[in-house]
Amino acid sequence: MTRLLAMTLLMPLLLFPEAYAGSPPSAHGLDPGWRELFFERRSMWATARSRVSLGMDEHDPFGPVRVLRLEGSLASNTEEETQLLAPHSYALLQRDRLTRGKNQRLKQYRYGADQVERIRREPDTSAGPTPEQWPVSSRRTLPVPAFGEGSVVTSAQALLALAGEVIGAPGEPLIVYVHTDVNFYRVRLVAAGEEVVDVDYSLAGGSQRVRGKRTAALVRLEADPAGTLQDPPDLTLMGLVGEISIALDKQTRLPLQIRGLAPRLGKTNISLTAAELSQQGGGEMP
């Protein structure tokens, strides 16, 4: 039993040595300056709302991990996703995505050094009370392309946290690899100048309102397929596709806007409506 426990605790280090190397496992690594973000996009047909939260779990079976949670709604469709990320690199360790609408399904992803196990669960008449107990309708092993030593496979949503690193090192793009469902992409995060944007959002449960103009640093996402795409192109960020960019507050690095193409709408901006800053973010606007 002792030997099994030791191997369990060592597993993240064996599978993701680049994610944990260079600093103590309990260190909090890259803090983007925020804990929670709320976005909203309105159209003639419906309003899309999204919530993104980021925290640390020091006691997960993997060891210390970042926990990225996502919630989204559009009309009668909802989705919830939980991602476990290595604390220093944001490398994906585990991901669960539950969607509800006309149909319901749970997709689970388990990340190894050279492959991803993808499990899909759907309810039937014998389904258990929780999505994790639904019968397995599909199981697939996806080989991870050979990206090179030190490369990081992360999620599209984690780019909201990583984008601020580009501002601190202008002229030096950040390169990561993003896994969607079965596809992989090489994504360059590139500083793309500054712009004054109109903002209107609240902080810390509405205790402070930020309204007016803020100087934003733009980070452009340049994505190319990594290896052969197994499905049609599906890289999105908060529902946007195409040429995607993130407008970050130059001082706080809060994502003020996400820009791209929305299906049936064309060019669209998704605006920040509320946020909670982390302790490193200062807790309030300067």
Side-chain angles (χ1 to χ4, degrees):
M1 180 64 71
T2 300
R3 187 174 184 180
L4 177 61
L5 176 60
M7 287 302 296
T8 301
L9 294 174
L10 283 172
M11 192 57 67
L13 293 174
L14 297 174
L15 295 180
F16 302 94
E18 78 287 346
Y20 287 88
S23 55
S26 61
H28 283 215
L30 303 173
D31 187 309
W34 51 264
R35 286 200 187 103
E36 195 169 40
L37 306 171
F38 293 84
F39 293 97
E40 188 172 280
R41 183 182 79 230
R42 295 180 179 273
S43 71
M44 295 176 58
W45 302 281
T47 298
R49 294 184 175 87
S50 301
R51 172 181 175 267
V52 183
S53 67
L54 182 66
M56 286 290 298
D57 183 352
E58 300 282 352
H59 307 290
D60 188 85
F62 276 110
V65 296
R66 291 189 186 275
V67 182
L68 183 65
R69 290 191 171 90
L70 313 159
E71 297 176 6
S73 65
L74 175 62
S76 60
N77 301 307
T78 65
E79 66 177 22
E80 301 172 15
E81 185 166 338
T82 299
Q83 302 175 5
L84 302 185
L85 306 164
H88 314 302
S89 66
Y90 286 79
L92 275 167
L93 304 173
Q94 180 174 303
R95 186 158 65 105
D96 290 0
R97 182 171 182 262
L98 175 65
T99 56
R100 299 181 187 272
K102 184 177 180 180
N103 298 304
Q104 300 182 81
R105 65 172 57 92
L106 172 68
K107 289 185 178 180
Q108 301 173 299
Y109 306 85
R110 303 297 180 255
Y111 292 83
D114 55 6
Q115 65 183 33
V116 180
E117 184 182 21
R118 175 184 178 271
I119 303 167
R120 184 172 66 198
R121 298 177 182 272
E122 298 178 85
D124 64 9
T125 55
S126 63
T130 65
E132 291 77 11
Q133 296 174 315
W134 290 349
V136 173
S137 58
S138 172
R139 188 185 297 268
R140 185 173 175 183
T141 299
L142 309 172
V144 176
F147 296 135
E149 185 177 355
S151 299
V152 171
V153 177
T154 189
S155 69
Q157 298 85 0
L159 300 180
L160 292 172
L162 292 171
E165 297 302 305
V166 179
I167 299 176
E172 298 182 17
L174 176 65
I175 299 175
V176 296
Y177 293 87
V178 169
H179 174 237
T180 53
D181 184 28
V182 297
N183 292 330
F184 293 87
Y185 297 85
R186 180 180 184 268
V187 180
R188 298 173 75 247
L189 288 81
V190 181
E194 297 180 0
E195 185 177 314
V196 176
V197 299
D198 293 312
V199 301
D200 185 0
Y201 63 90
S202 61
L203 283 175
S207 61
Q208 182 181 357
R209 189 130 189 121
V210 181
R211 182 180 295 168
K213 298 184 181 296
R214 300 286 294 182
T215 300
L218 303 181
V219 176
R220 185 174 64 248
L221 310 184
E222 298 178 353
D224 296 294
T228 302
L229 294 183
Q230 303 300 310
D231 267 359
D234 61 349
L235 181 63
T236 71
L237 180 57
M238 312 302 281
L240 300 184
V241 299
E243 296 181 0
I244 301 173
S245 61
I246 304 171
L248 300 171
D249 189 291
K250 187 177 178 181
Q251 289 183 282
T252 66
R253 302 191 182 183
L254 269 177
L256 302 174
Q257 291 179 352
I258 305 170
R259 303 173 178 181
L261 298 177
R264 297 187 297 177
L265 296 178
K267 289 186 177 180
T268 302
N269 295 345
I270 299 178
S271 299
L272 183 72
T273 58
E276 180 182 351
L277 301 181
S278 66
Q279 291 182 351
Q280 292 190 33
E284 59 183 22
M285 291 293 295

